[in-house]
């Protein structure tokens, strides 16, 4: 779906979405609906988020998303 200034979708993730941290093109909110995820920064910091929690990823900042189990999440990404 789209709303003014952003794009939203409900997605499922499993495993690592990349081998190394990659820059996110635009600001993004990840809200875990079921399961949990890890966000790995280029500096090696790991942020854990689980069901009901959210994380804002800043555009241009390298991050690697890892889903240790099948996870359903809402993604809201800024457009523009």
């Amino acid at each position: 779906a789209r709303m003014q200034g952003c794009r939203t979708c409900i997605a499922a993730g499993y495993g690592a979405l990349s081998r190394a941290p990659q820059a996110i093109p635009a600001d993004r909110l990840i809200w875990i609906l079921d399961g949990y995820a890890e966000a790995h920064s280029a500096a090696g910091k790991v942020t854990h988020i689980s069901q009901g929690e959210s994380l804002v990823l800043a555009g241009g900042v390298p991050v690697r998303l890892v889903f240790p189990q099948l996870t359903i999440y809402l993604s809201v990404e800024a457009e523009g």
Side-chain angles (χ1 to χ4, degrees):
R2 292 184 187 272
M3 56 185 169
Q4 187 174 7
C6 65
R7 178 178 49 192
T8 63
C9 71
I10 293 177
Y14 180 72
L17 297 187
S18 64
R19 290 182 179 231
Q22 298 178 349
I24 301 293
D27 292 347
R28 182 181 298 170
L29 169 82
I30 302 289
W31 181 24
I32 305 297
L33 301 174
D34 186 33
Y36 62 96
E38 301 170 352
H40 298 251
S41 73
K45 179 182 174 191
V46 179
T47 302
H48 301 272
I49 53 174
S50 60
Q51 184 173 343
E53 297 178 330
S54 62
L55 177 67
V56 175
L57 305 172
V61 176
V63 67
R64 177 177 175 240
L65 290 174
V66 177
F67 299 96
Q69 69 177 40
L70 182 60
T71 299
I72 299 171
Y73 62 97
L74 173 70
S75 176
V76 180
E77 184 175 338
E79 289 185 326

